[in-house]
Amino acid sequence: MHRHLMFAATLCLSAGSAFAAFPTLDVANATVDLAVSQAELDAANGPAGISIRGMGILPSGNLIIWDNDNAAGAGLLEIDVSGVSPVITTLVDHADVVAVTTDPSVSPNAIRATSDGTVFISEFTTTDSIVRIASPGQVGQTVTAIYTGDGIVSIDPSSPEGTLVTPLESAFGGPSSEDLLAVPDAGGSPSTIIDAAGLIAALPTYTNAPWGMTRTDPTTGDYITFAEQGFGGGDQLLRITPAGAVSVIMNPADFPNGAPAIEALAVDSRGDIFMFDNDTSGGSASLIIRQANGTISSIPNTTIAATAGQTILEAEDVAIRETATDVHIYVSDDDFQNIYLISIPKLEPPPVTASEQYEMYR
């Protein structure tokens, strides 16, 4: 049986009380569960080869992860988490993806699905490819490699859908050929959103283009990315428009525990940003939530890991499923092969007062 915890989150910054700045999430009443355990994955697909570095959500609400073992059942796995116990099935065989990437060591760093159920995989191994899977697990399924480029960090469907935003880290430690690209999701030549020179011009303290996992903000169509200091950035959370304009959302001092190490990142339908800080020095790692109104709060790594009987986890990806009342954040741990679930209630906007109505219509 999965463990279920409620807790009081640490609130780090509060925005004003105006209607436009009203918080969208009730983080203080969030709950934490173990959604899928290592034992459940092993029971379904065997103990070797499961990789949950990349994790996505299908339109049905089911999770998708990767099994990089060469045994039967390996490949793209669908996990139905709606019941008491997860139900795990194979959507795409390992061999079908290897056939288009020519690389048997497929280990995706991002797995994303679009609204029509098409799945995209980015893998940072030998060939560094983006793979498109139309109608996964169904008759008529097609698997194609739509792009290959050295140093693919992640992918995310752009808003509106039709392209993928893809950060490249081709030259760790130098600015050459490090780009943020828009790749047509049906394949074709990519276009450059911004390159290393453009980022350095916007933020002169940078020494190269330190692209981390990048996600699209559905409320604006902008791209949200974390610029890791270790790769020449400033440990800042950045917003980049499709035209390549750069602004800083968060500086190191804005993060609950100082300079972070953000690897997992996601954005919900209202522009709330969810990040996992994997900086475990001093036990400071945590899930960080920056709400659209600027409120920042965190949920400790140790609180989440405790639901699986662990003392700590290293998050590899974050996926979001929303309902009318809640935002469900799934966190993958590739160290212990567990998937965690943090559920946060949504808040309704405050009622409009008589004086506010007067100001609106006068």
Side-chain angles (χ1 to χ4, degrees), residues 258-295:
I262 303 296
E263 293 183 32
L265 175 70
V267 187
D268 71 9
S269 64
R270 297 191 286 186
D272 304 310
I273 303 171
F274 304 86
M275 302 158 277
F276 211 100
D277 179 5
N278 277 331
D279 183 3
T280 56
S281 59
S284 63
S286 61
L287 176 70
I288 299 170
I289 303 107
R290 184 194 184 275
Q291 297 189 49
N293 76 325
T295 301

Side-chain angles (χ1 to χ4, degrees), residues 120 130-132 144-148 162-164 182-190:
F120 296 89
I130 297 174
V131 176
R132 181 180 192 268
T144 54
I146 63 169
Y147 178 78
T148 298
T163 58
L164 306 169
V183 178
D185 65 14
S189 299

Side-chain angles (χ1 to χ4, degrees), residues 74-335:
L76 184 70
L77 306 183
E78 177 178 4
I79 308 177
D80 183 346
V81 290
S82 61
V84 175
S85 298
V87 178
I88 303 170
T89 55
T90 300
L91 285 180
V92 180
D93 289 338
H94 182 275
D96 291 340
V97 175
V98 171
V100 300
T101 63
T102 66
D103 183 2
S105 58
V106 176
S107 183
N109 51 18
I111 303 173
R112 307 286 179 250
T114 53
S115 58
D116 65 356
T118 301
V119 173
F120 296 89
I121 294 172
S122 66
E123 51 99 14
F124 184 50
T125 50
T126 303
T127 57
D128 289 11
S129 302
I130 297 174
V131 176
R132 181 180 192 268
I133 306 169
S135 303
Q138 301 175 28
V139 174
Q141 169 183 294
T142 58
V143 181
T144 54
I146 63 169
Y147 178 78
T148 298
D150 185 32
I152 294 173
V153 177
S154 69
I155 51 168
D156 203 54
S158 186
S159 182
E161 292 174 0
T163 58
L164 306 169
V165 56
T166 304
L168 298 184
E169 277 279 15
S170 300
F172 292 99
S176 62
S177 65
E178 296 191 359
D179 305 314
L180 187 64
L181 300 181
V183 178
D185 65 14
S189 299
S191 58
T192 301
I193 298 166
I194 186 171
D195 57 12
L199 189 67
I200 292 168
L203 300 167
T205 55
Y206 282 24
T207 59
N208 65 355
W211 307 118
M213 182 175 284
T214 300
R215 291 293 192 102
T216 303
D217 181 345
T219 66
T220 62
D222 296 339
Y223 311 120
I224 309 299
T225 191
F226 179 74
E228 172 61 49
Q229 187 179 53
F231 296 123
D235 281 343
Q236 293 167 309
L237 187 68
L238 305 180
R239 178 181 295 276
I240 302 172
T241 70
V246 182
S247 58
V248 177
I249 302 174
M250 292 174 66
N251 288 298
D254 300 323
F255 287 89
N257 302 304
I262 303 296
E263 293 183 32
L265 175 70
V267 187
D268 71 9
S269 64
R270 297 191 286 186
D272 304 310
I273 303 171
F274 304 86
M275 302 158 277
F276 211 100
D277 179 5
N278 277 331
D279 183 3
T280 56
S281 59
S284 63
S286 61
L287 176 70
I288 299 170
I289 303 107
R290 184 194 184 275
Q291 297 189 49
N293 76 325
T295 301
I296 299 171
S297 48
S298 64
I299 299 171
N301 178 312
T302 50
T303 298
I304 301 169
T307 61
Q310 304 289 349
T311 57
I312 204 162
L313 70 103
E314 182 173 357
E316 296 290 344
D317 207 352
V318 176
I320 291 175
R321 179 177 64 86
E322 293 189 56
T323 67
T325 58
D326 300 275
V327 177
H328 301 286
I329 306 105
Y330 292 91
V331 177
S332 68
D333 177 8
D334 198 37
D335 280 356

Side-chain angles (χ1 to χ4, degrees), residues 48-51 53 66-71 74-75 94 104-108 334:
I50 293 288
S51 171
R53 293 177 60 220
W66 185 258
D67 181 350
N68 57 5
D69 188 17
N70 288 299
H94 182 275
S105 58
V106 176
S107 183
D334 198 37

Side-chain angles (χ1 to χ4, degrees), residues 4-11 26-33 286-287 289 297-305 307 329 341-345:
H4 176 83
L5 300 177
M6 291 192 66
F7 60 93
T10 302
L11 187 65
D26 185 7
V27 180
N29 285 309
T31 59
V32 181
D33 290 280
S286 61
L287 176 70
I289 303 107
S297 48
S298 64
I299 299 171
N301 178 312
T302 50
T303 298
I304 301 169
T307 61
I329 306 105
L341 170 62
I342 298 94
S343 299
I344 305 179

